[in-house]
Amino acid sequence: MRIDKYYRRIIDGVPTAVIVADKNLKAVFTNTAFRSLFNSGKPVGTLGGVTGCAYSASNCNGDECRGCPLYDAFDDALCSNKPLNRRIYQKVRTDGLTHDVSYSLTVNPLGGGLCMGTIDDAYELEIAQELQTAKNIQQRLLPAGNWAGGKRYSYMYIPCRDIGGDLPDVFTVNNSACGVIADVSGKGISAGMLSAFVKAAYDKTEYSPAKAISNLNAKFSELNLDERNYVTVAAVRIDPENITYSMAGHNVPILLKTGSGITRIMLNSPPISNWFENPSYYEDVISYKKGDILVLLTDGVTECKNARGDMFGADGATKVLSISRTADEFIKNLENTLKNFNNNLDDDITAIAFDL
């Protein structure tokens, strides 16, 4: 008994995540590294319970668990009495959130109906968990409602990776609805960090879209990033009869559906970057009538290509807008059309639409 406790203390102190399962495929021991990695709150119990499986952990190996790679790895090692290595793909819950993880598991039979599993690339599992946390944080940066300044709006945000580089934002300034859509350079983690910066640095109290973009450029310059990093922005303020808009390097037109057709707005200025000293940002005004629809897009929409290499283009967005009666209907039609056009997206897809 003393020897058993002695070895438990040794295994509990090693940095490798270790789990021991019995012949009933119940976890009878997990070390500190394992518990820290999975953070399930259960040191022993079912395999699903100790790993925080997103399925019914209390009914581990139930009908919904058929083919579970974790369960099968221990079962195969016990039946063959031989060590094995498996790649495990699993859905787990951490802090109430579900995410996908993968890790390399080595299972060694110990005799007496016991098997010991070690996780060889725990660092990769930690990265996967951190990426999921970052993804969840980024989702919380998205607009929370569908009304601003008395205007109803709808939007879509589909990142091509777990973390995206687009940013849609809607808010109210002096009772006017304001919309901002930004597209940062790059993809993945670095793009996500830069989009979070844009979210925090854009002045939501500034009445002038051009002044807000100019202030954002000044704050961006303080980061002292190299020339590979930049941000394109389109910003609008919707007053009772007019729309004031400004664009910074955003080569995608703003679309306005009116009773007479679609208006493409093409004002532009340099992107947010360190490419120029003291760049100037301009704004202009266009009138609208009740029932019109205003649309902001990123180039992930217009530059989306199908299998033949055809580009969706601003014309594709215009066609979708022409058959849409409301902002919400446009966003739904656009999403469905793009998925039919190319179901394997290689850029972030973002759009905001306002009912005017």
Side-chain angles (χ1 to χ4, degrees), residues 13 17 25 83 88 96 115 132 139-140 175 179 244 248 272 292 307:
L25 299 183
I88 307 299
C115 275
Q132 185 63 36
Q139 288 292 320
R140 293 173 185 176
N175 297 320
T244 301
I272 304 297
D292 292 348

Side-chain angles (χ1 to χ4, degrees), residues 35-334:
R35 296 192 297 273
S36 175
L37 190 62
F38 285 95
N39 194 31
S40 69
K42 297 180 180 179
V44 297
T46 65
L47 296 177
V50 298
T51 57
C53 179
Y55 297 107
S56 180
S58 61
N59 188 31
C60 192
N61 201 35
D63 289 341
E64 69 270 37
C65 303
R66 295 186 185 279
C68 169
L70 179 62
Y71 188 95
D72 288 348
F74 278 94
D75 190 36
D76 291 347
L78 278 170
C79 292
S80 66
N81 198 33
K82 294 180 180 179
L84 57 84
N85 181 271
R86 294 277 175 85
R87 191 71 187 172
I88 307 299
Y89 297 90
Q90 189 178 0
K91 286 186 179 294
V92 301
R93 288 184 65 81
T94 303
D95 298 327
L97 302 172
T98 300
H99 53 276
D100 296 311
V101 299
S102 66
Y103 51 92
S104 181
L105 176 71
T106 300
V107 185
N108 286 282
L110 301 177
L114 296 176
C115 275
M116 180 177 73
T118 57
I119 295 177
D120 300 324
D121 55 358
Y123 184 62
E124 182 177 340
L125 177 57
E126 290 184 53
I127 291 175
Q129 292 173 333
E130 290 297 327
L131 284 173
Q132 185 63 36
T133 299
K135 179 180 179 180
N136 293 329
I137 291 173
Q138 190 174 61
Q139 288 292 320
R140 293 173 185 176
L141 297 179
L142 299 175
N146 50 20
W147 286 89
K151 303 297 182 184
R152 187 176 182 86
Y153 70 89
S154 186
Y155 73 93
M156 62 182 291
Y157 171 69
I158 306 176
C160 66
R161 299 183 183 177
D162 283 341
I163 302 174
D166 283 1
L167 176 71
D169 205 3
V170 180
F171 50 94
T172 301
V173 177
N174 295 348
N175 297 320
S176 296
C178 296
V180 177
I181 197 163
D183 186 357
V184 310
S185 56
K187 294 181 177 66
I189 297 174
S190 61
M193 293 180 67
L194 193 52
S195 67
F197 160 80
V198 174
K199 172 77 174 184
Y202 192 90
D203 187 357
K204 293 184 181 180
T205 65
E206 176 55 57
Y207 192 64
S208 164
K211 183 70 179 298
I213 290 176
S214 181
N215 292 342
L216 177 63
N217 187 76
K219 292 179 181 178
F220 180 90
S221 297
E222 295 175 1
L223 297 178
N224 198 30
L225 299 176
D226 62 35
E227 68 278 359
R228 293 173 296 178
N229 297 279
Y230 61 91
V231 185
T232 68
V233 182
V236 299
R237 185 188 72 246
I238 306 172
D239 298 317
E241 296 180 352
N242 299 306
I243 300 165
T244 301
Y245 60 93
S246 183
M247 299 170 73
H250 205 75
N251 59 357
V252 180
I254 299 173
L255 305 178
L256 177 65
K257 180 182 181 180
T258 67
S260 58
I262 307 295
T263 301
R264 295 171 61 172
I265 304 170
M266 297 294 294
L267 176 71
N268 219 335
S269 299
I272 304 297
S273 67
N274 290 321
W275 301 347
F276 310 98
E277 290 187 12
N278 302 318
S280 297
Y281 296 97
Y282 305 97
E283 61 189 27
D284 205 347
V285 178
I286 187 171
S287 62
Y288 70 88
K289 294 182 180 179
K290 184 176 178 58
D292 292 348
I293 302 173
L294 176 67
V295 173
L296 310 180
L297 306 164
T298 61
D299 61 9
V301 175
T302 56
E303 294 180 5
C304 179
K305 294 182 179 180
N306 62 16
R308 298 191 303 272
D310 300 326
M311 193 173 292
F312 189 72
D315 289 340
T318 298
K319 290 178 182 177
V320 175
L321 182 56
S322 66
I323 63 170
S324 302
R325 295 166 296 178
T326 65
D328 187 60
E329 186 174 297
F330 167 76
I331 293 297
K332 291 177 180 177
N333 288 342
L334 181 64

